[in-house]
Amino acid sequence: MYGLYDKDGVLRFVNSDREACLDYAKLFELNSTHFCLINLKESIDIGIDINLDLNQATNNN
């Protein structure tokens, strides 16, 4: 899985195909100085337990 980030660090596009990310950059006329392509599989530690529960906070009132 690849993530295409703009020069401000905002994730612009995600795809399992590297070439699709590069095509996206080309479509929006982003040259290599305006984006960063990162292999997300290599940058994420699979051993970390990620909890996406949005109701984690407790109400102290």
Side-chain angles (χ1 to χ4, degrees):
M1 186 66 62
Y2 294 91
L4 181 84
Y5 292 83
D6 67 14
K7 66 180 180 176
D8 297 319
V10 176
L11 181 61
R12 299 282 296 268
F13 187 76
V14 175
N15 196 294
S16 59
D17 182 19
R18 182 181 186 275
E19 292 304 316
C21 288
L22 295 175
D23 289 342
Y24 179 92
K26 184 178 178 180
L27 176 67
F28 288 97
E29 300 177 352
L30 299 172
N31 62 40
S32 61
T33 60
H34 291 109
F35 73 86
C36 174
L37 186 62
I38 297 177
N39 185 337
L40 298 176
K41 285 183 181 178
E42 289 180 0
S43 64
I44 296 174
D45 183 0
I46 303 300
I48 297 173
D49 182 24
I50 299 173
N51 185 349
L52 299 177
D53 184 6
L54 298 176
N55 297 317
Q56 293 182 35
T58 58
N59 187 345
N60 292 329
N61 295 337

